[in-house]
Amino acid sequence: MPRIFSGIQPSGELHVGNYLGAVKNWVELQRLTPAVFCVVDYHAITAPYEPEVLRARRHEMALGLLAAGIDPDLATLFVQSDVPEHTELAWIFNTVTPLGELERQTQYKEKSARQESVVAGILNYPVLQAADILLYRADQVPVGEDQLQHLELSRVIARRWNAQFGEGFFPEPQGLLTPTRRIMGLDGQAKMSKSMGNTIGMLEAPADIWAKLRPAVTDPKRIKRTDPGTPEVCNIYHLHKAFSPEATVAHVAQQCSTAGWGCIDCKKVLAESIEVELVPIRGRAEALRAEPRRVTDTLASGASKARAIAQETMREVRDRMGFAPGPADVRGIG
Ligand code: SF4
């Protein structure tokens, strides 16, 4: 059975874009195949941050994932910094990664263009990603289209390391494109993202969701209630496709294109569909909030499961590269 690995940054509360674009798919996949899911807090520190905020966001992200349906009996859920082998392998991979490959990464070019001074962690971000995936010798990585280039780099790194130290040791991980493609934000302009301020929170109260949905951008050519619209160009229609039953989606398309209803009518139906999906998630989140130990205990046991796999990989990596099989503490020295 192929092993899958995927990570998510501890950005705090999950939003609907994370949920539809990644986490909902993880919940399905964990029933089909061995799955490792990681809250990647080392990645998060490539941008300025406050330690206390990071701590709170890490907990909130784990709580959100469990509420969304990640089941620790089926999948391994843990925090990246609880498994120090991630950074060890990342350093090793840095020594086989050509600098030019890193400088060519689109995300690096975009991020560095926006900043006056760029930390090396931004350049090396995809090397740590390769370590995250290959530490668990994962065969498949559920990703969005914007991550395919980084995944290609993981394959390059695996190939280079294998060629030098052990043919076939690391698999070349394949992308598993998430069925729900890019979820646009409520501005209809950019991908839903916290930094763009265009999100719907997965745990937000219905009144707050409606306050955001009501003014959300629709088909810009539909100016008057009597103008027929084009559903395919409207983000609200795409959200219907993600949340509403098929019959409702067909009804939306028909009502929109014949000016049978107004955009507010359409959004009210969407708000109801969103509620149906989010009510049980919100309920599970409340239960977890009442017992925060359940989250920390789950992460601790996830970290110990993850670390067992990571140490096995690193024993082999260290041996093939001419190091002692484990650091002194692992070998019981000192
Ligand atoms: Fe969009 Fe619905 Fe308005 Fe059509 S009726 S433009 S799908 S919000």
Side-chain angles (χ1 to χ4, degrees):
M1 291 253 269
R3 179 181 284 158
I4 61 165
F5 174 93
S6 206
I8 189 162
Q9 282 218 22
S11 53
E13 187 190 326
L14 280 166
H15 58 68
V16 156
N18 307 132
Y19 173 67
L20 296 173
V23 179
K24 195 173 176 187
N25 188 36
W26 296 2
V27 172
E28 295 300 318
L29 288 170
Q30 69 181 350
R31 298 193 184 103
L32 307 175
T33 200
V36 180
F37 300 124
C38 181
V39 179
V40 291
D41 52 353
Y42 276 141
H43 286 283
I45 63 170
T46 53
Y49 75 101
E50 293 294 331
E52 277 316 310
V53 175
L54 178 67
R55 226 184 299 278
R57 286 184 171 180
R58 192 167 43 217
H59 183 92
E60 189 62 26
M61 178 54 70
L63 183 146
L65 291 172
L66 293 168
I70 298 299
D71 180 347
D73 290 333
L74 297 174
T76 301
L77 174 67
F78 71 104
V79 171
Q80 185 185 31
S81 61
D82 285 337
V83 180
E85 286 76 9
H86 283 254
T87 43
E88 184 184 0
L89 188 59
W91 173 253
I92 285 169
F93 283 166
N94 269 317
T95 66
V96 295
T97 308
L99 188 59
E101 293 276 357
L102 296 177
E103 286 169 338
R104 264 196 294 281
Q105 299 295 309
T106 310
Q107 286 194 11
Y108 166 70
K109 286 198 248 175
E110 283 173 2
K111 281 186 185 169
S112 57
R114 289 200 298 265
Q115 296 174 16
E116 234 169 66
S117 147
V118 182
V119 295
I122 290 185
L123 181 69
N124 292 327
Y125 193 104
V127 181
L128 181 55
Q129 270 184 333
D132 297 337
I133 298 162
L134 294 172
L135 194 52
Y136 302 95
R137 302 173 73 198
D139 309 283
Q140 294 180 338
V141 183
V143 278
E145 277 166 345
D146 52 349
Q147 287 297 317
L148 284 175
Q149 195 187 23
H150 281 182
L151 193 58
E152 172 56 31
L153 184 65
S154 296
R155 286 196 287 274
V156 169
I157 292 173
R159 267 199 296 278
R160 283 188 158 245
W161 190 92
N162 285 349
Q164 217 174 327
F165 300 108
E167 211 46 65
F169 180 69
F170 285 118
E172 293 187 23
Q174 302 302 311
L176 208 54
L177 274 180
T178 33
T180 306
R181 296 293 169 87
R182 171 181 288 241
I183 300 294
M184 299 298 281
L186 295 175
D187 54 5
Q189 303 292 316
K191 185 178 166 182
M192 191 177 280
S193 127
K194 220 168 188 178
S195 61
M196 299 299 291
N198 61 7
T199 60
I200 298 174
M202 191 186 71
L203 303 176
E204 264 184 289
D208 296 333
I209 293 179
W210 179 244
K212 289 179 172 181
L213 216 47
R214 200 172 209 284
V217 171
T218 61
D219 173 2
K221 294 213 174 104
R222 198 174 183 207
I223 297 159
K224 298 194 300 291
R225 160 76 178 72
T226 48
D227 293 335
T230 309
E232 282 300 335
V233 304
C234 176
N235 191 33
I236 298 298
Y237 177 65
H238 291 288
L239 287 169
H240 267 295
K241 288 212 265 189
F243 282 110
S244 298
E246 253 174 59
T248 307
V249 175
H251 183 66
V252 170
Q254 192 266 335
Q255 289 292 85
C256 175
S257 54
T258 58
W261 66 7
C263 291
I264 291 293
D265 304 314
C266 183
K267 288 172 176 178
K268 279 183 186 158
V269 175
L270 174 62
E272 285 164 18
S273 298
I274 291 177
E275 264 312 278
V276 170
E277 181 105 11
L278 297 189
V279 159
I281 295 177
R282 233 182 268 133
R284 286 194 290 270
E286 270 168 36
L288 288 165
R289 257 187 237 296
E291 282 182 90
R293 274 298 294 272
R294 272 174 60 200
V295 177
T296 45
D297 288 352
T298 299
L299 291 178
S301 95
S304 97
K305 276 201 276 174
R307 197 151 190 226
I309 306 172
Q311 285 184 337
E312 198 185 306
T313 302
M314 288 313 299
R315 251 192 303 276
E316 191 71 29
V317 167
R318 288 173 138 263
D319 185 45
R320 288 175 188 233
M321 294 184 76
F323 297 108
D329 64 327
V330 173
R331 283 180 286 145
I333 300 170

